[in-house]
Amino acid sequence: ELGATVCTPRAPRCETCPVRRQCRAFSLGRQEEFPPGLGRRAPERLRRAIVLLERNGRTLVVRRRGALLDRMWEPPGVELTPGGGTRAALARELARQGVKARLADTGVRLKHVITHRAITVEVWRAELVGDSISVSSNTRWARPQSRALALTALARRVIDASTLSREKVR
């Protein structure tokens, strides 16, 4: 509590501190130097592509796995590597989800920051080839405006940006 309320890094309030008589920084007149500032970690720069596949007013979403945002939902996507083909990577990811689709780049690019990651996202659209799709426990069709499903903030931004770009075309 003392460090959070009295002995703060930017504005120490030594006049109200109950331990200032025992404080070495105060006795040396160097209280502004402690605690030493922590350097900010440079953000990791990532590139992702996310594909929007819609049917009957619903968007296909998949459950994320891993340390970051585990069990939350977002449209299918892939991490992009330098020199890797985005269309091919998205097609592989959709096939892994049991989906065969034609892909088109929307031209929408978003910047998204989460913890220590700066993510640039390419938004793609997909159109089903055929009418069957196998939905598993890790995929589902969801109404984007519904708050019942735990969509990631990035998923909501992608869906909103895509809706706006579609309305501009009309």
Side-chain angles (χ1 to χ4, degrees):
E1 286 290 324
L2 196 59
T5 60
V6 177
C7 194
T8 61
R10 289 195 179 91
R13 295 181 16 228
C14 297
E15 66 282 356
T16 63
C17 182
V19 295
R20 75 172 175 246
R21 292 185 200 276
Q22 293 85 22
C23 177
R24 177 118 190 225
F26 180 75
S27 67
L28 295 173
R30 296 178 50 200
Q31 57 270 31
E32 274 81 21
E33 297 176 32
F34 297 95
L38 298 175
R40 284 193 166 234
R41 184 168 125 186
E44 178 184 359
R45 302 211 177 278
L46 301 172
R47 286 182 51 236
R48 281 185 54 82
I50 290 182
V51 62
L52 293 173
L53 178 58
E54 298 167 329
R55 183 173 76 177
N56 301 327
R58 295 175 185 253
T59 301
L60 183 69
V61 292
V62 296
R63 190 185 304 255
R64 288 187 57 101
R65 294 284 180 217
L68 189 63
L69 304 174
D70 189 42
R71 300 181 63 191
M72 293 194 69
W73 297 84
E74 69 183 16
V78 293
E79 301 293 323
L80 298 175
T81 57
T86 304
R87 183 182 305 272
L90 284 173
R92 279 191 302 275
E93 177 61 20
L94 287 174
R96 203 172 69 74
Q97 301 296 335
V99 177
K100 186 171 182 179
R102 282 186 287 282
L103 295 166
D105 187 351
T106 65
V108 173
R109 302 294 183 265
L110 298 173
K111 302 253 187 238
H112 188 72
V113 177
I114 181 169
T115 58
H116 299 292
R117 292 169 181 86
I119 308 166
T120 301
V121 182
E122 296 180 16
V123 181
W124 288 63
R125 283 207 166 281
E127 182 182 317
L128 277 176
V129 174
D131 46 283
S132 66
I133 178 173
S134 59
V135 177
S136 70
S137 62
N138 291 323
T139 61
R140 66 174 52 164
W141 294 99
R143 294 202 184 283
Q145 63 277 15
S146 170
R147 298 292 176 180
L149 196 62
L151 288 176
T152 65
L154 177 58
R156 292 202 188 281
R157 286 191 62 209
V158 165
I159 291 166
D160 290 347
S162 174
T163 302
L164 289 174
S165 71
R166 240 190 347 224
E167 289 173 359
K168 287 180 184 177
V169 172
R170 290 181 187 168

